[in-house]
Amino acid sequence: MMAGIKIAVVDDHPLFREGVTRSLGEIDDFEMVGEGGSRDDALRIVRELCPDVMLMDISMPGNGLEAITEALDFCPDLKIVMLTVSEASEDIATALKLGAKGYVLKGVGSRGLADVVRTVASGESYVSPSLSARLIAGLSAPTEVQAKPDLLSELTDREQEVLSLVASGLSNKRVARELDLHEKTVKHHMTRILSKLKVTNRTEAALALRDATDQRSTAERSQS
């Protein structure tokens, strides 16, 4: 029998935390291994249990963002998902830069949250589509993920199609439906896209696409 995904929940609102733990705990392939309400609790859980996935709030004693780096130092394979009410682009960018694999708003339903847990546990990143679109529209890309137009030119036509749909907030499954492909094929395309653009996750790839598009537009205006 396949081992379940080991999950910990860290949030300083007991009722919310218990609700998340209970709803995810009812899913067969999930194993709830720890709960806490602060940064210190998060680090204790990581040191003692090293779960597969940790759902963690930002606004809690000690600040969830400040726990990310130290938690990953203790347990490099840990997948951290920020489960929060904050829609601030700065918080999203900081969480991803520090190593979080997911960023989800607390309004998500239990089924949607379960899908996010499976997504990050498999090694992919996830940002709520509405937040991803906002981040791409309003955030200046970090230097390390800036892409020149010639980098995008290395992508095949199909890879550019896939990247455009991913940048609009679609999941691999939705992209596969749109392009009439197998989901595994979309994952393969994304692996090649990340490698060619020299980025590490879907959000950085989308930011790279935005930057390259802006640079092309600027170049075209200067030539006209």
Side-chain angles (χ1 to χ4, degrees), residues 39 43 56 63-73 78 80 82 94-100:
R39 171 182 176 275
L43 297 179
M56 186 163 59
N63 191 297
L65 291 175
E66 294 185 6
I68 295 174
T69 301
E70 195 169 352
L72 292 174
D73 285 342
L78 173 68
I80 296 175
M82 308 311 295
T94 298
L96 296 175
K97 183 177 180 181
L98 291 174

Side-chain angles (χ1 to χ4, degrees), residues 1 17 25 70 74 130 134 144 158 185 198:
M1 183 176 178
R17 182 177 71 238
E70 195 169 352
F74 278 113
S130 61
R134 178 179 305 179
E144 64 268 25
R158 177 62 86 187
T185 303
K198 306 183 190 310

Side-chain angles (χ1 to χ4, degrees), residues 2-221:
M2 183 177 293
I5 299 172
K6 296 179 180 180
I7 305 168
V9 182
V10 184
D11 189 289
D12 63 335
H13 291 85
L15 192 60
F16 177 80
R17 182 177 71 238
E18 290 165 10
V20 171
T21 299
R22 184 170 57 252
S23 61
L24 293 182
E26 294 173 351
I27 298 173
D28 289 340
D29 56 334
F30 290 170
E31 179 184 353
M32 309 309 294
V33 298
E35 290 185 44
S38 68
R39 171 182 176 275
D40 288 344
D41 286 342
L43 297 179
R44 173 184 53 78
I45 291 169
V46 170
R47 284 194 296 266
E48 295 176 358
L49 302 169
C50 193
D52 299 314
V53 177
M54 175 174 282
L55 304 175
M56 186 163 59
D57 193 11
I58 289 179
S59 301
M60 63 182 187
N63 191 297
L65 291 175
E66 294 185 6
I68 295 174
T69 301
E70 195 169 352
L72 292 174
D73 285 342
F74 278 113
C75 184
D77 292 333
L78 173 68
K79 307 299 190 299
I80 296 175
V81 177
M82 308 311 295
L83 182 58
T84 177
V85 297
S86 174
E87 300 182 38
S89 294
E90 182 179 354
D91 285 342
I92 305 168
T94 298
L96 296 175
K97 183 177 180 181
L98 291 174
K101 291 298 183 182
Y103 197 103
V104 186
L105 295 178
K106 284 187 174 180
V108 67
S110 58
R111 182 176 298 178
L113 185 57
D115 287 341
V116 172
V117 169
R118 291 192 183 96
T119 295
V120 299
S122 72
E124 293 189 44
S125 298
Y126 182 89
V127 177
S128 295
S130 61
L131 298 180
S132 181
R134 178 179 305 179
L135 183 66
I136 294 164
L139 184 67
S140 296
T143 301
E144 64 268 25
V145 300
Q146 289 183 344
K148 296 179 180 179
D150 60 341
L151 271 184
L152 281 189
S153 70
E154 295 181 10
L155 302 183
T156 65
D157 290 342
R158 177 62 86 187
E159 287 168 352
Q160 292 195 33
E161 287 180 318
V162 170
L163 179 55
S164 294
L165 291 172
V166 167
S168 71
L170 297 188
S171 65
N172 285 347
K173 185 177 293 186
R174 290 284 304 280
V175 172
R177 289 177 185 169
E178 289 287 332
L179 299 179
D180 195 23
L181 299 171
H182 291 295
E183 186 176 355
K184 185 178 294 186
T185 303
V186 174
K187 289 182 179 179
H188 175 70
H189 283 312
M190 279 306 303
T191 298
R192 291 182 57 81
I193 289 167
L194 296 182
S195 175
K196 289 181 179 181
L197 296 183
K198 306 183 190 310
V199 296
T200 59
N201 60 54
R202 299 159 69 88
T203 301
E204 289 180 357
L207 288 168
L209 172 63
R210 186 206 65 175
D211 285 347
T213 302
D214 289 347
Q215 290 174 35
R216 283 175 175 168
S217 298
T218 300
E220 290 170 358
R221 285 196 299 270

